[in-house]
Amino acid sequence: MDSQGLPGFRDLYPDEAALRSYILSVWRDVAERYGFEEYDGPPLEPLDLYTKKSGDEIVGQLYTFEDRGGRAVALRPEMTPTLARMVAARAQGLKKPIRWYSMPQLFRYERPQRGRLREHYQLNMDVIGEAGPLADAELIAAALDVMRAFGLGPRDVRVKISDRRVLRVLLIARGLEATQVDVALQHIDKSGRAPRDVLRDKLADALSISRDMADRVLAVGDVKGLDAMDAALTKGAKDANAGTDLHKCVAALTAMGLGEFVEVDFSIVRGLAYYTGIVFELFDAGGSLRAICGGGRYDGLLEALGSVNLPAVGFGMGDVVLAEILQTRAEPLVVRSRLDAFLVSVSSDDAPYVWGLAHRLRDLGLSVEFSLRTQPVAKQLKLAAAREAKHALIVGPDERQAEEVVVRHLATGEESRVGADEVLEPSFWTKQAEASPLL
């Protein structure tokens, strides 16, 4: 039997699983602070849910097969089509705007590399039923507040924002036909990931245009900042007001105190075919990793999938790049699952008492362990230290007779004798946490 896992899939050992659990807990906390409700969907969906609307990049990465019922199915590579299907099914009965989040495991068959695997967990947050740019700003703010919850500031991460409506206007102003815009956007989306001359030649061949014109088209992605956008829109564009929503979105983020995180950058396109308006990606400030988060407005998707015409905006944030950022900081995040207490039996006769005490402490919601075999006290304490328990509760014949427990703070070695009834009071453990907050 091959003992190796599949390429691009992870074995999460306890310390790694603890980090992922911590990431998911922060995601849930921020999403619910923003008033979002959690939803979920199946990991297996009909293949055409993705082939119709997700774009060529996603379709080429699908894990797809025919099930025993003869249906063409795929493991979900993203969550937005599932969300659109679910909302469309109950659109009339849902209070608008809909504010939902999910944390699914997603699958894409692509080349494993730094920051990208073939499976990952992803925070998805979406607002459905609100067309105004404040909904876009609200989601971008939520993504940034996730970063802030991990202790990351504007020196660590930046969000880059653009608007596909502006891009479309600028591209047409440079001489493209409306039918050529999507191909041009696909090439601008690759800016920074492929040499400029290579992109120029590929774009020229794809649209049957000159190299000079291809250069002018790709230069749209060089527009940076609201002032540069406004200047570009006044030069031959038919809709000089195309950037109004982007102005309002940036102004809202600034009013929220998040302006330092924001950069307007028209090389941001987003590769998925269904985006229609403001789009954004979140990067580490050094630009050494893949995007931490990406999303945007997808106003036409629900109508395409379920004949329900509702505006929508959302984002996805993966755990792989985020975990790498947290682990490679100057002060790496260390997350471990730590025991509240390890119970120690002095003799075999004390073990039944310890078992009962452990069960009652667990009923209080504490994390508790004890040795599963008869061992000397020293070995039990060594195991308690290896488990990084905060306290050892030692019980021997004298303690049982006096109805007491010896409580040892393992980080300091300090001990005290405490009544057994007192140890079973939640207030005792609250005091321990207050007295030793770092233990």
Side-chain angles (χ1 to χ4, degrees):
M1 183 181 69
D2 188 353
S3 61
Q4 298 295 318
L6 291 173
F9 288 78
R10 292 173 289 181
D11 294 321
L12 294 179
Y13 289 86
D15 58 337
E16 298 161 324
L19 175 58
R20 186 189 65 189
S21 294
Y22 173 62
I23 289 172
L24 267 59
S25 71
V26 171
W27 284 351
R28 176 173 280 111
D29 175 69
V30 173
E32 294 185 355
R33 283 198 278 118
Y34 271 71
F36 282 66
E37 299 177 287
E38 187 172 8
Y39 76 99
D40 201 357
L44 198 65
E45 290 277 20
L47 176 62
D48 62 5
L49 187 68
Y50 306 111
T51 56
K52 287 182 178 179
K53 292 298 172 184
S54 290
D56 293 340
E57 181 180 356
I58 289 290
V59 171
Q61 297 169 353
L62 290 173
Y63 278 90
T64 181
F65 57 95
E66 184 177 291
D67 70 8
R68 293 186 179 183
R71 292 173 287 264
V73 297
L75 289 172
R76 60 188 178 196
E78 56 164 332
M79 202 64 178
T80 304
T82 296
L83 170 67
R85 175 177 57 75
M86 290 173 63
V87 170
R90 298 189 180 181
Q92 299 305 315
L94 296 172
K95 181 68 175 177
K96 316 301 186 302
I98 300 162
R99 298 163 70 97
W100 284 3
Y101 80 95
S102 63
M103 300 186 296
Q105 187 177 21
L106 304 178
F107 305 87
R108 295 185 186 182
Y109 192 88
E110 53 187 339
R111 184 172 63 85
Q113 54 190 292
R114 186 184 183 193
R116 175 166 288 190
L117 301 173
R118 289 176 175 170
E119 58 81 20
H120 68 280
Y121 284 81
Q122 182 169 294
L123 169 65
N124 296 276
M125 295 179 67
D126 296 85
V127 175
I128 297 173
E130 176 52 59
L134 188 55
D136 304 65
E138 176 85 333
L139 280 172
I140 295 169
L144 290 171
D145 276 347
V146 170
M147 298 297 102
R148 293 175 66 234
F150 287 119
L152 301 172
R155 292 184 178 181
D156 304 301
V157 294
R158 293 296 181 91
V159 62
K160 297 185 178 183
I161 309 175
S162 73
D163 192 322
R164 279 195 172 212
R165 292 163 296 194
V166 174
L167 284 163
R168 185 172 294 274
V169 168
L170 293 178
L171 290 171
I172 290 174
R174 280 161 172 72
L176 289 187
E177 300 293 331
T179 55
Q180 296 176 309
V181 167
D182 286 344
V183 174
L185 290 176
Q186 291 171 15
H187 287 74
I188 293 173
D189 186 50
K190 295 181 173 63
S191 298
R193 303 198 302 269
R196 185 63 165 261
D197 57 343
V198 172
L199 284 177
R200 178 202 61 202
D201 292 346
K202 287 185 176 181
L203 179 59
D205 293 341
L207 295 181
S208 298
I209 59 178
S210 70
R211 279 6 183 206
D212 286 343
M213 185 173 182
D215 271 328
R216 293 196 299 273
V217 167
L218 291 175
V220 170
D222 298 333
V223 175
K224 305 288 191 294
L226 291 174
D227 290 343
M229 176 192 74
D230 292 340
L233 285 171
T234 60
K235 294 179 180 178
K238 293 184 179 180
D239 185 1
N241 297 318
T244 299
D245 278 358
L246 191 57
H247 269 285
K248 291 179 179 179
C249 179
V250 173
L253 289 167
T254 301
M256 295 174 190
L258 299 170
E260 287 185 283
F261 288 92
V262 178
E263 297 177 4
V264 172
D265 183 338
F266 280 88
S267 67
I268 301 301
V269 176
R270 302 292 294 151
L272 301 180
Y274 50 65
Y275 286 116
T276 59
I278 291 174
V279 289
F280 58 93
E281 293 184 352
L282 188 63
F283 294 91
D284 66 294
S288 61
L289 296 169
R290 304 184 68 88
I292 306 166
C293 164
R297 183 161 287 280
Y298 54 97
D299 285 347
L301 184 60
L302 272 77
E303 185 175 18
L305 291 176
S307 300
V308 176
N309 187 13
L310 286 173
V313 58
F315 73 78
M317 178 184 295
D319 69 317
V320 178
V321 174
L322 181 54
E324 186 161 353
I325 289 174
L326 296 176
Q327 293 291 66
T328 56
R329 298 174 64 193
E331 296 181 4
L333 179 67
V334 178
V335 180
R336 295 186 178 92
S337 179
R338 298 184 64 179
L339 290 172
D340 291 302
F342 191 103
L343 273 55
V344 176
S345 305
V346 175
S347 70
S348 59
D349 291 338
D350 304 313
Y353 181 87
V354 162
W355 305 337
L357 179 60
H359 192 76
R360 295 172 71 183
L361 290 170
R362 287 166 176 166
D363 282 346
L364 295 178
L366 299 172
S367 175
V368 176
E369 187 182 344
F370 53 83
S371 176
L372 299 177
R373 64 174 65 183
T374 301
Q375 289 184 321
V377 169
K379 284 194 173 183
Q380 294 179 68
L381 290 172
K382 185 176 181 180
L383 180 57
R387 293 283 198 260
E388 296 188 334
K390 300 173 186 176
H391 306 87
L393 272 55
I394 305 169
V395 177
D398 294 342
E399 286 73 32
R400 284 193 290 123
Q401 184 174 0
E403 296 184 351
E404 294 179 336
V405 174
V406 174
V407 178
R408 178 181 294 184
H409 295 262
L410 290 175
T412 65
E414 296 178 359
E415 288 187 353
S416 59
R417 299 180 73 87
V418 179
D421 289 343
E422 185 179 350
V423 170
L424 292 168
E425 291 293 332
S427 59
F428 170 81
W429 296 98
T430 301
K431 290 177 182 177
Q432 299 305 306
E434 291 173 351
S436 304
L438 298 180
L439 297 180

